Amino acid sequence: MRSPSFLTFLSLAVGSLLCQVQANEVIYADGSLKANWSTRGLGTTIDLSTSDAVANTVSVAVNSTQNGFISFFTPKPFGKTAKGLQFDISGNQPNLMVEALSDIDWAVSKRIPLSELVPVSSITSDKFSTVFLDFNKIYIPYQPTYPTAPDNWDTITFYAPGSEGAVYRLNNLQLVEGTCP
């Protein structure tokens, strides 16, 4: 027989996971860009419905040239409610940076290298790796001459810095809401 403390822990853990999953906002999953979301790109070829034999699903194929990017945009700001971004990525150790920004007031986060979120060597083209970006890592404290507040963030951008560009696939992009304990 299990101790009451173990059962309490188990029920809290399962309840927390269920709450978190129910509160997340899906941006893109298995070939479907969700309502109220759109993509933008510069120096990038984007295919939202690429069949992926490795994961037996459909994903976003991205081919960015030098300094190219793909952005996911929604007219409904997420900066006040989301605590982070979770996504699956596949590719040959892509050199990427991720940022959040606002079309409303041009508030921008700092760009964080993918290598600060996960060992890039673990990202390969034969499988998807799950990555979580805690928005606290990209928040820049208020500066009077440069808007940085996350309240109006409405865009997530994957940016390929440097001259080599990046080729990769994305799937299961979701905002992780901060409503669960």
Side-chain angles (χ1 to χ4, degrees):
M1 179 164 167
R2 302 272 183 204
S3 68
S5 61
F6 174 78
L7 293 175
T8 302
F9 166 77
L10 186 60
S11 67
L12 288 173
V14 170
S16 176
L17 286 174
L18 290 174
C19 180
Q20 185 179 37
V21 169
Q22 292 170 353
N24 289 354
E25 179 181 349
V26 174
I27 299 169
Y28 176 94
D30 300 328
S32 177
L33 185 64
K34 300 307 177 186
N36 295 324
W37 284 90
S38 62
T39 60
R40 304 171 182 169
L42 180 65
T44 299
T45 303
I46 303 166
D47 183 349
L48 293 174
S49 57
T50 298
S51 294
D52 197 317
V54 173
N56 197 23
T57 187
V58 177
S59 61
V60 180
V62 183
N63 186 347
S64 293
T65 59
Q66 177 180 356
N67 297 317
F69 68 85
I70 180 174
S71 291
F72 294 87
F73 167 78
T74 180
K76 178 184 147 203
F78 54 80
K80 288 183 181 180
T81 57
K83 67 179 180 179
L85 173 73
Q86 182 172 305
F87 58 94
D88 295 340
I89 187 167
S90 170
N92 189 14
Q93 302 176 5
N95 179 21
L96 292 175
M97 299 185 92
V98 186
E99 71 180 349
L101 55 104
S102 166
D103 272 4
I104 297 168
D105 59 10
W106 299 104
V108 65
S109 73
K110 71 176 186 175
R111 285 183 178 157
I112 189 165
L114 186 61
S115 61
E116 286 187 27
L117 304 175
V118 64
V120 177
S121 61
S122 70
I123 301 174
T124 63
S125 55
D126 63 343
K127 67 177 176 52
F128 277 91
S129 299
T130 300
V131 178
F132 177 73
L133 168 60
D134 181 343
F135 285 159
N136 287 322
K137 288 186 174 193
I138 60 173
Y139 172 71
I140 302 171
Y142 176 74
Q143 299 173 21
T145 58
Y146 193 66
T148 60
D151 294 358
N152 291 323
W153 286 351
D154 54 16
T155 305
I156 299 288
T157 299
F158 293 85
Y159 172 71
S163 60
E164 69 272 0
V167 177
Y168 55 100
R169 293 178 188 239
L170 296 169
N171 203 355
N172 301 320
L173 282 89
Q174 57 186 320
L175 294 172
V176 176
E177 303 293 334
T179 58
C180 297

